[in-house]
Amino acid sequence: MLEVKDLWVKYRSQHGRSVSAVRGVNFSIPDGTFMGLVGESGCGKSTLGFAIARLLNSQQLEISGSVLLNGEDLIKMSSRELRKLRWDKIAIVLQGGMNAFNPVLKIKQQFTDVMKAHGQGRAEDRDQRIAELLRHVQLDPALLEAYPHELSGGMKQRVAIALSLVLNPELVILDEPTTALDVIVQKAIVEMLQELQRHMKFSVLFISHDLGLVLEAAERVMVMYAGKIVEEEPVEVLLEGAKHPYTEALLSCYGDPQAKELRFKGIPGSPPDLSKPLQGCSFVPRCSKAMSACRELEPQRLELERGAVACHLYTKMQGGIGK
Ligand SMILES: Nc1ncnc2c1ncn2[C@@H]1O[C@H](COP(=O)(O)OP(=O)(O)OP(=O)(O)O)[C@@H](O)[C@H]1O
Ligand SMILES: [Mg+2]
């Protein structure tokens, strides 16, 4: 359904410093799949999500590659074509989505505005659809008469999800949708989203820095590091054992839940500066399994039976490079 091919996004600053936030990303999301995207802060997750929805201001950046939605390339579309497609085919929910509502408009008006802008006709049909959506996100339709400030953070995020579904999109991108909420509300929203997705059959790209949450929410997971997808797998395969040393390190941060003593573990070192040219594998300085080849050559995405990995350990296992 969605196919991203060799996508690059480079931010240009006025001072001549440019940051390559997405560096040659390839993946696809089949129809009706709940895909998770995880990685440390600054690795390019939001940039990737925004690039797919074409929400980046193209004057300040260079974007190349293709984003095919049912075969149509969004990168080549005019802003007019994109306006028609947003909400209708692709919708996005942000962490800040909780504050994205117009504070002086009642909740109902925010739904009506989107529907009217996309030519959704009769008022009664609209009202019926909006009330139904509120019930889908387990809220009382009476809240439609409320102003955004009258809702709690969790309620606002449920409304933001309902609003994203108003035109029955094929793909919903959620960027840290529950990050500002407490864990109980977080879990309830994730469960609700899973149920909605099964019922309404849209595809999801769920972005979070929280691997635990993504493993709970998604069917497949992509792990991003320094602008690249370094591993992609079904959740059950990843839980059997990570392939990329970075994924392994991320998983080990969660520790053993059975252990008597809870210890917080991090990954030593920090991600590379994306404004500088990178040689070889960008994880080398933090990788306990690095080989000499890793310093020289950038590992390419290797398709596996049920996923993909970009790491020389696997190129080596397949009889390729590596010392
Ligand atoms: N508008 C911008 N101009 C210049 N650089 C930017 C801009 N937005 C993001 N960046 C840089 O691009 C890189 C990726 O940022 P991005 O926000 O996509 O990461 P992220 O993975 O979503 O991080 P977080 O988990 O903190 O949300 C970072 O190095 C960031 O500093
Ligand atoms: Mg982000």
Side-chain angles (χ1 to χ4, degrees):
M1 196 267 297
L2 179 82
E3 206 177 349
V4 175
K5 289 188 190 161
D6 200 25
L7 186 67
W8 288 78
V9 182
K10 194 190 252 187
Y11 292 105
R12 273 183 274 120
S13 78
Q14 284 123 336
H15 324 290
R17 184 177 170 272
S18 61
V19 174
S20 296
V22 172
R23 304 185 304 123
V25 161
N26 293 284
F27 67 91
S28 52
I29 306 185
D31 262 341
T33 303
F34 200 126
M35 179 74 98
L37 174 64
V38 70
E40 273 165 291
S41 184
C43 72
K45 304 182 294 300
S46 298
T47 305
L48 178 56
F50 276 61
I52 293 171
R54 289 291 317 273
L55 284 170
L56 295 166
N57 176 355
S58 56
Q59 275 155 11
Q60 285 147 19
L61 53 86
E62 284 164 37
I63 183 163
S64 69
S66 54
V67 174
L68 303 170
L69 185 70
N70 296 324
E72 276 188 284
D73 194 349
L74 307 193
I75 302 294
K76 295 206 180 93
M77 281 189 184
S78 66
S79 37
R80 213 187 130 156
E81 287 170 304
L82 285 168
R83 261 201 304 279
K84 268 174 65 188
L85 182 125
R86 270 185 222 125
W87 298 95
D88 199 15
K89 297 265 193 298
I90 297 190
I92 188 157
V93 177
L94 308 173
Q95 178 187 341
M98 299 202 297
N99 304 318
F101 298 109
N102 186 335
V104 298
L105 293 183
K106 286 183 178 175
I107 298 294
K108 184 174 166 182
Q109 192 65 45
Q110 327 240 358
F111 280 81
T112 315
D113 284 354
V114 174
M115 294 173 101
K116 276 190 182 160
H118 286 261
Q120 298 253 313
R122 290 178 34 215
E124 303 104 80
D125 296 344
R126 280 200 304 263
D127 290 359
Q128 216 178 352
R129 170 89 181 130
I130 300 169
E132 179 190 275
L133 277 167
L134 263 261
R135 279 192 288 268
H136 278 328
V137 295
Q138 294 149 18
L139 291 176
D140 184 346
L143 286 174
L144 289 168
E145 295 305 318
Y147 287 94
H149 73 268
E150 296 178 84
L151 309 185
S152 71
M155 282 166 149
K156 269 192 249 181
Q157 205 57 325
R158 281 174 194 265
V159 175
I161 292 172
L163 186 58
S164 76
L165 299 176
V166 72
L167 300 181
N168 260 329
E170 291 169 27
L171 173 69
V172 182
I173 300 174
L174 300 111
D175 188 4
E176 308 275 2
T178 62
T179 302
L181 307 171
D182 70 64
V183 281
I184 296 169
V185 176
Q186 216 173 53
K187 202 167 153 50
I189 289 190
V190 163
E191 280 169 6
M192 178 205 80
L193 193 61
Q194 287 170 322
E195 191 156 330
L196 278 173
Q197 189 245 351
R198 276 193 293 268
H199 176 69
M200 296 173 76
K201 301 197 170 34
F202 50 89
S203 308
V204 171
L205 179 63
F206 184 94
I207 303 175
S208 174
H209 62 275
D210 184 343
L211 178 60
L213 184 69
V214 171
L215 289 175
E216 214 165 294
E219 296 167 61
R220 285 180 80 80
V221 180
M222 298 191 288
V223 180
M224 193 166 187
Y225 187 78
K228 297 201 121 189
I229 306 293
V230 295
E231 181 162 0
E232 181 195 327
E233 243 147 8
V235 167
E236 68 275 13
V237 175
L238 197 90
L239 286 172
E240 278 168 19
K243 298 199 169 54
H244 197 286
Y246 175 61
T247 317
E248 216 168 57
L250 269 186
L251 274 173
S252 74
C253 291
Y254 284 84
D256 175 5
Q258 310 294 337
K260 288 205 181 76
E261 200 185 337
L262 268 181
R263 291 238 303 271
F264 183 76
K265 240 176 102 185
I267 307 174
S270 46
D273 181 348
L274 296 176
S275 67
K276 303 231 165 77
L278 297 171
Q279 203 197 350
C281 171
S282 50
F283 191 56
V284 163
R286 305 168 82 186
C287 183
S288 57
K289 296 178 178 163
M291 308 173 287
S292 57
C294 306
R295 276 171 246 286
E296 288 146 29
L297 271 176
E298 186 152 33
Q300 299 302 309
R301 180 181 165 110
L302 197 68
E303 299 297 331
L304 306 171
E305 202 183 321
R306 299 187 63 194
V309 65
C311 172
H312 284 312
L313 285 173
Y314 288 84
T315 336
K316 187 181 170 184
M317 270 165 47
Q318 307 236 332
I321 188 115
K323 278 186 241 161

